[in-house]
Amino acid sequence: MSAKALSRRFVPFLCGAAVVTAADLPVREVTLYKHGVAHFQRAGELKPGDTIRLDFKPGDMNDVLKSLTITDRSGGKVNGVRYDSSDPLEKRLEEYPFQIAGQISLATFLDSVKGAEIEMKLAAQTVTGTVLSGRIVGGNDKEPAKEVVVLMLDSGELRTFDLGAASAIRLGDPKLQSQLKNYLGTLNQSRSRDRRSVYIDGTAAVAREVVAGYMTPAAVWKSSYRLIFNPQGEPVLEGWAIVDNTSGEDWNGVKLAVISGKPVSFISRLYEPRYVSRPVGELAENQAAAPLVYQGGFAEADSKVAAAPPPAVAALGRMASKDALAERELRDRPMNGRQMNEMVAVAPSSIAAAADTRQAGELFEYSFATPVTVKQGESAMIPFLQQKIGGRKLLVYQEGYGLNPRDAAELTNSSGKTLDGGPITVYDAGTYAGEALVETLPMGDKRLISYGVDLGTRVTTAFDSAQAIVREIHFRRGILTTKSAVAETKTYTIKNADAKAKTLIIEHLQRPGYKLIDLKPLETTADAYRFEVKLTASATDKFAVREERVFDQSTAVSSMTPDVLASYVQNKTLTDAARRQLEQIAAKKREVAANNGALQQADKDIDVLTQDQGRIRNNMESLNRVNGQQQQVQQYANQLATTETRLAAQRDRQAELRRMKNVLESELNNLMERIEF
């Protein structure tokens, strides 16, 4: 029998079950954040016996289970919620006492519930019995196939019935029928794989107002601004919130709010069931004893057991913006009267930027007073700000920008609100002036933005360095430490070719180990000093930034020559006491040096005398082999005796100098250990 027939015959099984009503809980409020989530609030009436069903994407369930809150405005209590399991279909169906797979026939199903009591309607009679078996008979040339069931009637009689003749069949066991209904319901839910449902049951005796709030993943809201400079007065700043409805349903007249800030958010896997493999525990007496196998013995074990071995900004500045250059040329080009009359000045938009603002903890909230409607799959631009803001036009230069500084503005957030970060389109003198990006700007804070390149100003730099100067000298345990400073100057030469005065902000990059001399910056950033320079019209100005780097250098006095040490003695930074102490060390170093020089000379003299002795002995040996040279041999013998006497004296002097070397070095070491300044 086909699945359609099976479903048709199963309908009577389900007719007696209670029907659950799904109460409407529409979206009332939506709050969008900057880190990929949104908070939804739904509200509606829950009547006794009704069930609220909220449908979600499977990927949203982790966030829903982590954040769901339910409030009963009538003061009642919510006992809990139910939701669809995330187990695979096979996992959810394997616990049922029967399986309905593929094109299963009714006879096959009844055969799987042998022993169950059923009630069959056959024409005008109703038959009740216990299922003995179900099968398909026939199906050949002689007899067509038909489904039959064998029942044991209450009388004990066994009879076979043709299922094709039955108009209705009902399971007699309410529990088994409920299981069958749940089984079919699970199969039905499995067809909707893109949705998971959360159920809130109405158990109270009266109707009540229920509010459900939860977080789900959502598109990040964006902000964009228009900065409009007026000929007089402060500039006007417009702010627009761009929102995208990707929730899967329409937002009809919802209260919308957007949040500026970066709260922490993460995914915690709460939806998927977790299974833990548990160990099997058995008592020792319940386990069979295994045989032991002993190894043969060798020599006695050693008592000693062996231990186990244990800035992109510069690149961006070098990129010339063709659009900005063209815009500047167009702006500077003289216009005739007709062109000026035809030019339409850019004015603030005619918008109602009605957004209530408040500080929400560490975040800032814009809540729109007028209900918002955004259909599923659509987006909207909603104004949240239009007011004057503190600002002034100026130029900003950093060496990596190139030759020309940037057209810029210094914005002071005098709006009384936190301004979310985003792009800014700048309008000046009635026309488009450029674009900029701004980070989130808290109330009362200032920020620079740059939106163009000023071709009427050029900046060059020159660098100069001075010789290092010793500032301090310290001595301890034979180590001489000097603190020196080297001064460096960077000079900015600024050529203002325009016939108007300007204000230039120089961003001078900080360098590790360097500090400013005789200058105080306008402000300091994480990696730069900012100096404000007033530029004269059609003139060249110079601005010098002097810095110094202080560094320490340590040297062992034992490796210094007396002359080098004497140069430190002459340093004016030394106190008189320190100078006298250092002079003592220098004097002792000179004594050691003089003794070492004498010792080296003694070593050379001994080498010369030793070589002379060898030469004389060689001559005497040669003359002894020649007759009549006894007188000459005698003369060499006298020279040899004299050399030996001199050699003995030099060796005595060498020994004395070596002894003095040890004494002087010991005195020098003691002196260096004792002196400290």
Side-chain angles (χ1 to χ4, degrees):
M1 184 174 291
S2 67
K4 291 183 178 180
L6 176 62
S7 300
R8 184 176 65 249
R9 290 173 180 261
F10 280 176
V11 169
F13 294 0
L14 309 180
C15 291
V19 178
V20 179
T21 304
D24 185 25
L25 208 66
V27 176
R28 302 296 187 190
E29 297 183 14
V30 177
T31 304
L32 301 176
Y33 292 83
K34 302 290 288 189
H35 62 296
V37 297
H39 182 267
F40 291 85
Q41 187 178 97
R42 296 174 177 267
E45 185 181 52
L46 179 60
K47 296 179 180 179
D50 284 358
T51 294
I52 294 172
R53 189 183 77 185
L54 307 177
D55 293 332
F56 301 99
K57 300 174 184 177
D60 297 350
M61 287 298 293
N62 286 315
D63 287 300
V64 172
L65 296 179
K66 182 175 61 177
S67 61
L68 179 65
T69 60
I70 303 172
T71 305
D72 188 338
R73 289 181 174 173
S74 61
K77 300 295 182 182
V78 177
N79 296 326
V81 298
R82 299 176 289 114
Y83 60 91
D84 294 337
S85 171
S86 68
D87 266 339
L89 180 63
E90 295 77 10
K91 180 75 174 178
R92 285 182 281 167
L93 297 180
E94 66 182 10
E95 297 182 359
Y96 286 93
F98 43 77
Q99 295 296 317
I100 306 175
Q103 299 290 330
I104 185 174
S105 65
L106 180 57
T108 303
F109 169 74
L110 292 177
D111 190 69
S112 67
V113 293
K114 292 177 181 178
E117 183 178 304
I118 64 171
E119 179 182 288
M120 298 177 56
K121 289 186 178 181
L122 299 169
Q125 65 172 336
T126 299
V127 177
T128 302
T130 302
V131 176
L132 184 64
S133 69
R135 64 184 187 276
I136 299 175
V137 298
N140 50 43
D141 296 337
K142 297 181 180 180
E143 182 181 5
K146 65 178 181 178
E147 297 181 70
V148 299
V149 62
V150 180
L151 299 181
M152 184 178 72
L153 306 182
D154 294 339
S155 61
E157 182 182 2
L158 299 179
R159 290 186 57 185
T160 299
F161 295 92
D162 184 0
L163 291 175
S167 60
I169 301 175
R170 178 187 297 275
L171 293 173
D173 185 354
K175 181 178 179 180
L176 189 60
Q177 182 165 329
S178 176
Q179 288 178 328
L180 178 59
K181 176 187 173 183
N182 293 338
Y183 187 101
L184 296 176
T186 301
L187 286 175
N188 183 58
Q189 290 175 2
S190 68
R191 297 191 186 96
S192 180
R193 296 181 179 272
D194 60 335
R195 289 290 166 181
R196 297 292 185 269
S197 299
V198 174
Y199 306 95
I200 306 172
D201 297 322
T203 58
V206 295
R208 50 185 178 159
E209 186 75 10
V210 174
V211 179
Y214 53 86
M215 308 290 293
T216 61
V220 174
W221 76 278
K222 290 88 66 179
S223 56
S224 66
Y225 299 91
R226 294 93 176 102
L227 180 64
I228 304 170
F229 283 103
N230 299 313
Q232 297 87 20
E234 294 179 316
V236 175
L237 185 67
E238 291 183 5
W240 296 75
I242 300 174
V243 299
D244 305 288
N245 182 1
T246 59
S247 64
E249 60 181 306
D250 296 339
W251 299 345
N252 295 315
V254 302
K255 182 180 179 181
L256 180 65
V258 292
I259 301 291
S260 176
K262 292 183 178 180
V264 174
S265 182
F266 55 88
I267 296 175
S268 183
R269 299 191 180 280
L270 302 177
Y271 184 47
E272 296 84 357
R274 298 177 184 174
Y275 300 95
V276 178
S277 298
R278 296 178 297 158
V280 176
E282 294 185 1
L283 296 175
E285 59 264 25
N286 294 336
Q287 299 178 2
L292 294 177
V293 178
Y294 296 95
Q295 295 182 351
F298 294 96
E300 184 177 350
D302 192 347
S303 60
K304 297 181 180 180
V305 180
V313 173
L316 181 61
R318 290 192 294 268
M319 296 174 61
S321 172
K322 295 183 179 179
D323 293 340
L325 296 178
E327 179 61 34
R328 181 64 186 231
E329 292 175 359
L330 179 62
R331 189 190 318 163
D332 293 343
R333 185 185 306 161
M335 293 184 294
N336 56 39
R338 178 181 178 183
Q339 288 175 322
M340 294 184 66
N341 291 333
E342 291 177 350
M343 186 182 72
V344 179
V346 176
S349 304
S350 299
I351 58 175
D356 298 326
T357 59
R358 70 183 182 93
Q359 196 73 33
E362 299 300 323
L363 309 176
F364 195 83
E365 177 183 277
Y366 292 90
S367 181
F368 299 98
T370 304
V372 175
T373 296
V374 184
K375 299 300 182 181
Q376 154 62 17
E378 294 183 354
S379 301
M381 286 180 59
I382 309 171
F384 65 86
L385 176 73
Q386 188 185 65
Q387 65 185 81
K388 292 183 177 180
I389 189 172
R392 60 172 180 152
K393 292 188 290 184
L394 39 74
L395 306 177
V396 176
Y397 176 79
Q398 192 180 91
E399 193 168 13
Y401 287 172
L403 188 64
N404 304 102
R406 296 291 185 95
D407 288 318
E410 181 187 69
L411 300 181
T412 301
N413 186 3
S414 56
S415 65
K417 309 173 180 65
T418 294
L419 301 179
D420 186 67
I424 298 180
T425 300
V426 181
Y427 296 95
D428 187 15
T431 187
Y432 168 82
E435 298 171 359
L437 281 173
V438 66
E439 296 177 335
T440 297
L441 191 59
M443 291 179 286
D445 201 0
K446 291 194 305 183
R447 196 77 82 242
L448 286 176
I449 64 169
S450 62
Y451 52 86
V453 178
D454 181 27
L455 301 180
T457 307
R458 299 185 297 275
V459 183
T460 58
T461 60
F463 183 80
D464 184 34
S465 178
Q467 186 177 2
I469 300 174
V470 177
R471 295 279 182 83
E472 297 178 18
I473 299 177
H474 300 281
F475 184 87
R476 188 172 186 270
R477 294 185 177 276
I479 302 298
L480 188 71
T481 302
T482 60
K483 187 180 292 292
S484 303
V486 58
E488 297 180 354
T489 302
K490 177 175 282 189
T491 302
Y492 295 85
T493 302
I494 308 118
K495 171 68 175 178
N496 181 13
D498 292 337
K500 61 179 180 179
K502 301 176 182 178
T503 299
L504 174 68
I505 298 295
I506 294 178
E507 281 206 338
H508 181 83
L509 292 179
Q510 298 183 34
R511 295 185 294 169
Y514 286 81
K515 64 179 183 179
L516 295 173
I517 305 175
D518 305 329
L519 270 182
K520 185 176 182 180
L522 175 68
E523 61 184 358
T524 303
T525 68
D527 57 359
Y529 301 111
R530 285 178 178 162
F531 302 99
E532 182 172 320
V533 183
K534 300 296 184 181
L535 303 182
T536 309
S538 302
T540 299
D541 297 283
K542 291 182 179 292
F543 186 81
V545 180
R546 296 181 65 239
E547 296 175 288
E548 69 172 9
R549 179 173 66 91
V550 179
F551 58 93
D552 294 340
Q553 184 175 7
S554 298
T555 308
V557 172
S558 59
S559 62
M560 290 184 178
T561 65
D563 294 338
V564 173
L565 192 57
S567 66
Y568 286 103
V569 173
Q570 303 302 320
N571 193 281
K572 296 180 180 181
T573 61
L574 282 176
T575 63
D576 292 339
R579 182 174 288 104
R580 286 193 298 269
Q581 291 176 317
L582 199 58
E583 284 176 344
Q584 294 178 29
I585 297 176
K588 188 59 67 177
K589 287 281 292 184
R590 283 192 289 270
E591 291 182 37
V592 172
N595 185 81
N596 288 340
L599 182 58
Q600 291 176 1
Q601 187 59 48
D603 293 340
K604 291 180 181 178
D605 292 343
I606 290 175
D607 289 340
V608 171
L609 292 174
T610 302
Q611 292 174 7
D612 287 346
Q613 281 186 331
R615 179 178 54 80
I616 293 172
R617 287 191 177 95
N618 290 335
N619 290 339
M620 290 176 63
E621 184 178 355
S622 299
L623 291 174
N624 283 331
R625 291 194 292 269
V626 180
N627 293 328
Q629 297 295 325
Q630 286 77 12
Q631 183 178 357
Q632 186 66 33
V633 171
Q634 185 61 40
Q635 290 179 359
Y636 280 133
N638 293 337
Q639 291 179 10
L640 185 60
T642 302
T643 302
E644 185 64 31
T645 301
R646 291 173 59 192
L647 184 59
Q650 285 294 337
R651 284 173 175 164
D652 292 341
R653 184 169 181 270
Q654 182 190 51
E656 178 61 20
L657 290 172
R658 286 178 176 174
R659 186 187 67 80
M660 285 301 299
K661 175 181 174 65
N662 295 332
V663 172
L664 292 173
E665 288 180 347
S666 178
E667 291 175 351
L668 177 61
N669 291 334
N670 292 335
L671 191 62
M672 289 191 297
E673 287 290 330
R674 186 172 69 254
I675 292 177
E676 182 176 336
F677 58 84

